[in-house]
Amino acid sequence: MAAARGLRAGGCYRCRRPLSSASSCSSSGSGRAAERPDSVGPGFRPPAHSHSDWIGPPDKLSNLRPIIFYVPPEESALERRLREARQEAQASNQRFWARHNRAFHQEKEEFMYSRLKAKGLEMRDESGQKATLNAEEMADFYKDFLTKNLKKHLQYNRDWYKRNFRITFLMGQVALVRALRWLRRRKKNVEQ
Amino acid sequence: MSAARSCRPPRAFAGLFLWHQRNTGAQQIPCRFVNLYRVASNRLITFQYFNFLKRMYVTQCNKDLSQRAKPKSDSVVSPFHELHQLDQEKKVVHKISPVSPIPQSWSEMSSRNELTEMKSAAETEDSVIPVGAESKEDRQWKEMKLQLDDLPGILARLSKIKLTALVVSTTSAGFAMAPVPFELTCFLLASLGTGLASCAANSINQFFEVPFDSNMNRTKNRPLVRGQISPLLAVCFAASCGIPGIALLTLGVNPLTGALGAFNIFLYTCCYTPLKRMSIANTWVGAVVGAIPPIMGWTAATGSLDAGALLLGGILYSWQFPHFNALSWGLREDYSRGGYCMMSVTHPGLCRRVALRHCLALIGLSTVAPVLNITTWTFPIISLPLNLYISYLGFRFYRDADRSSSRKLFFCSLWHLPMLLLVMFTCKKSVPEKEDKGDLPGGSNEMAMEIRLP
């Protein structure tokens, strides 16, 4: 059924172009980009016969899964708007979380270093194992980090909700258009 | 006398214990009571789309026996091992893992199972140094095509089916405690309607939280995060559960229950979910969300919002705090990084105080129950050891504020609630007099009619 097809995961927005965001390329491993300088996004290439989007493993920094969108040859304006909205959302999310997580890990390292130093310990003990602080000692850091980033999160939340609603609404429109098209085609076939 | 008692719904409490089993399966709960139902609950899981639960249960048992052979972080670490600049990151993640067992034991064991399923191919090749690294990476790319075979499992995870089962069982408890003769159809309609409403609310919650769920260990294997289902389909599923569910409650049960159901969905999706990232007040709102289902069960049976309904809601409300605060104690890192405003992160002292306060409140509420004629006076007496024990653990958590005390409190809360509800049900004040009196007027009317007719 066209409705089911339209509702299918990702809505099959046919964009064979990988992510155009440079930041995602850099964050998902500089090694890969160096090997394939022509590919802007991740190194994976979906098989040529596939007409759907492909979703990859979580990104190392942002923990978000990148999607390679499929561009159908006769992509309508509505479908293109949807695909672009999804690409933009993906890029924006990737930027935010990569930066945020990097800051988290960096600040966490700094905190651990300063605390360990205060305790008179080194970052690595004799056996080369990394010294750690337990959860109670880290609690101060978690509290500070959260309070510091609260405003940033509020802004991001607003942005994310807006994008999410817009994308889902566009998906609904595309699904509806496809369903109607399929019904019209079926009616024509039946008449013939 | 026991017309009311004979209408006791055994399945409701089997449901309670089924839920109980799923969640406590991994824990060495030294409760013989639990063991009695272990076999029964295994057999109860027969639906095909519950298969993932069955697998989870078996896996948990095995892990228990082998003392958690593999720490969770191993499966998390595997995609990282190629990146050298993130070496530190990886080590850090590895070390933090001991804190996270609390959420693992809760309803997210299935996520770990899926993670291991998904990464099993990847992991077996991890030991091979990056010769085939790219192809392994490539194999992790999945086509975003909806597989109809997987759809039941996906929808079950989307609707947080285990949490839904818990919610339905608290509704059944509310229904069972209502002082009216038991009606099976009403009970089934109320349970079904509540279940559908809960599925809808949970789906919308997951729809809103995709990027945040990706960043938390506990939730990173949800269907929307993994791209197994599109957001549009998730919303359609939520609508197709929520609308019939509320309609069923409003038309099939009574409008009050329907209104409560709709309000609860609104509270959960539009208040609790966004509030989680804005203020610690979300915990209190969430506690109300948890308290409404038993109230719905009661109103489904009686049609009115009595003091008894509010008491039952109050007990569930108070229970949420030791349960959630203890759980959140072990998730502080994920909450901090994910941007969730939880008491355990920002106001740790308040977190523990509130947990203890509400453990003690449970004692008070149990004492109020006979006053409102819901139970006999045996209930506060029998439930006192239970409530004292959880209060003791709450006090330990308050004083020690460490991982072990938080875990103990959390696991206690898992069996404390079903036990408390069961004891409450067994001490329920029976409603025999009304029925006997009800028979007499009918009988005498008949006799009167007989006399009148020539």
Side-chain angles (χ1 to χ4, degrees), chain B residues 123-136:
Chain B
E123 281 172 349
T124 51
E125 289 146 26
D126 264 2
S127 48
V128 178
I129 322 290
V131 171
E134 265 181 35
S135 58
K136 181 204 80 181

Side-chain angles (χ1 to χ4, degrees), chain B residues 159-231:
Chain B
S159 58
K160 296 190 212 170
I161 199 84
K162 286 173 277 180
L163 181 62
T164 299
L166 164 63
V167 166
V168 170
S169 51
T170 54
T171 307
S172 321
F175 194 95
M177 287 307 300
V180 290
F182 180 77
E183 277 180 48
L184 185 63
T185 40
C186 189
F187 172 75
L188 291 175
L189 288 174
S191 302
L192 182 62
T194 309
L196 289 172
S198 171
C199 287
N202 288 330
S203 307
I204 296 291
N205 170 268
Q206 290 200 18
F207 164 73
F208 281 157
E209 304 248 286
V210 178
F212 315 119
D213 283 345
S214 318
N215 273 281
M216 300 208 356
N217 280 323
R218 191 172 66 97
T219 53
K220 63 189 176 186
N221 286 302
R222 287 186 170 171
L224 282 168
V225 172
R226 287 170 68 178
Q228 292 173 314
I229 199 175
S230 76

Side-chain angles (χ1 to χ4, degrees), chain B residues 61-80:
Chain B
C61 278
N62 287 342
K63 277 198 186 333
D64 254 0
L65 293 170
S66 61
Q67 285 287 293
R68 273 199 207 96
K70 201 171 176 185
K72 184 175 182 183
S73 62
D74 278 0
S75 49
V76 171
V77 165
S78 59
F80 293 116

Side-chain angles (χ1 to χ4, degrees), chain A residues 7-10 29-30 32 35-36 42 44 50 52-57 60-68 86 97 100-101 104-105 108-109 129-130 132 135-136 139 142-143 145-146 150 153-154 156-157 160-161 164-165 168 171-172 175, chain B residues 79-80 83 85-86 88-89 92 95-96 99 118 134 137-138 140-146 207-208 210-212 214-215 221 225-228 230-233 235 273-274 277-278 329 332-333 335-341 345-346 401-403:
Chain A
L7 292 175
R8 206 161 281 177
S30 46
R32 198 153 285 129
E35 287 164 38
R36 298 190 190 183
F44 174 76
S50 162
S52 31
D53 305 333
W54 283 71
I55 189 166
K60 320 296 181 193
L61 268 180
S62 70
N63 297 314
L64 303 174
R65 288 170 187 262
I67 298 178
I68 297 182
R86 290 175 79 200
W97 285 105
H100 179 78
N101 290 342
F104 180 81
H105 290 297
K108 187 176 178 186
E109 286 293 313
Q129 279 278 54
K130 200 161 178 191
T132 52
E136 307 316 317
Y142 297 144
K143 176 177 178 176
F145 188 80
L146 185 63
L150 196 60
H153 278 294
L154 289 176
Y156 172 75
N157 293 344
W160 157 250
Y161 270 64
N164 198 22
F165 279 130
T168 311
M171 277 186 178
Chain B
F80 293 116
L83 280 184
Q85 66 266 38
L86 294 171
Q88 294 173 329
E89 219 173 288
V92 167
K95 287 293 188 278
I96 296 298
V99 184
M118 200 178 85
E134 265 181 35
E137 180 82 21
D138 288 354
Q140 292 176 341
W141 283 78
K142 300 270 185 284
E143 194 173 9
M144 283 177 84
K145 210 169 172 185
L146 185 62
F207 164 73
F208 281 157
V210 178
F212 315 119
S214 318
N215 273 281
N221 286 302
V225 172
R226 287 170 68 178
Q228 292 173 314
S230 76
L232 179 66
L233 198 50
V235 171
T273 303
R277 308 184 58 80
M278 297 201 288
W329 198 256
R332 283 176 289 178
E333 177 178 4
Y335 283 148
S336 170
R337 188 167 55 86
Y340 283 107
C341 297
V345 181
T346 55
D402 61 2
R403 184 177 147 245

